[in-house]
Amino acid sequence: MNNNYHDLIPDVIFVNNVPKNMTGKKLYNLTEQINNIIMIWNSQITDCACMFYRSSNITYIDLSDFDSSQVTRMQYMFSGCTSLTSLNLNNLNTSKVTRMHYMFYKCSSLTSLNLNNLNRSKVELVSDMFKECSSLTYLDISNLDISKT
């Protein structure tokens, strides 16, 4: 039996009534010491660029309840999350996102990633999205629309 409950129960970041000037870079400072994250917040956030940038201690992120309906930028969002092994992007709304370049750059512990359900119809930049994802053995991008790139 594992007695390290911190490994079993994710930390939760709950952000409500977010100021319109809150960005991924500002939120990054809240995540520096957290290992497991579930994010729940309202739809005022428009910029997730660099949100978890170089958060090398994070092993699990669950964004299934994250209202990203107004987000337009996700570049470098998980870049440098070298310990990240599990990422839940189910229900993530990316219908307005135009930038995803370097999104998973150096996620060297991530072994599987399903992006099949993401709407990428407005994405213009995807360069080096999976660069240096050295452990990635499963990647589902079967519905990837890169017509605007």
Side-chain angles (χ1 to χ4, degrees):
M1 182 171 160
N2 186 346
N3 290 327
N4 190 352
Y5 293 106
H6 183 69
D7 290 340
L8 298 175
I9 302 171
D11 299 306
V12 176
I13 295 178
F14 179 79
V15 183
N16 196 8
N17 298 320
V18 179
K20 290 192 183 282
N21 65 347
M22 176 67 94
T23 65
K25 288 181 183 179
K26 291 179 183 177
L27 190 62
Y28 163 75
N29 293 327
L30 299 174
T31 64
E32 288 185 276
Q33 301 302 316
I34 297 174
N35 295 329
N36 305 303
I37 296 175
I38 296 175
M39 298 188 93
I40 305 167
W41 58 23
N42 64 19
S43 61
Q44 292 188 26
I45 295 284
T46 60
D47 186 1
C48 289
C50 302
M51 182 175 285
F52 302 104
Y53 182 72
R54 291 188 178 173
S55 296
S56 58
N57 54 310
I58 295 175
T59 58
Y60 172 75
I61 299 174
D62 184 342
L63 297 180
S64 60
D65 288 324
F66 166 41
D67 183 351
S68 58
S69 60
Q70 300 303 313
V71 174
T72 59
R73 298 178 351 133
M74 290 185 170
Q75 72 267 24
Y76 291 94
M77 189 170 177
F78 306 103
S79 179
C81 292
T82 55
S83 297
L84 186 63
T85 58
S86 184
L87 182 60
N88 185 347
L89 299 177
N90 292 338
N91 304 318
L92 193 66
N93 184 337
T94 57
S95 61
K96 294 184 179 182
V97 176
T98 60
R99 298 173 183 267
M100 288 185 171
H101 55 289
Y102 289 95
M103 190 170 174
F104 304 101
Y105 177 59
K106 289 191 178 181
C107 289
S108 54
S109 297
L110 195 60
T111 58
S112 133
L113 191 55
N114 185 347
L115 302 179
N116 190 33
N117 62 334
L118 300 186
N119 179 341
R120 294 167 303 278
S121 61
K122 293 193 179 187
V123 175
E124 298 168 358
L125 292 170
V126 294
S127 62
D128 297 307
M129 194 170 174
F130 308 105
K131 187 174 184 177
E132 296 189 35
C133 291
S134 54
S135 298
L136 197 58
T137 57
Y138 175 80
L139 177 62
D140 188 346
I141 54 173
S142 55
N143 291 328
L144 181 64
D145 178 0
I146 56 171
S147 60
K148 295 196 186 275
T149 59

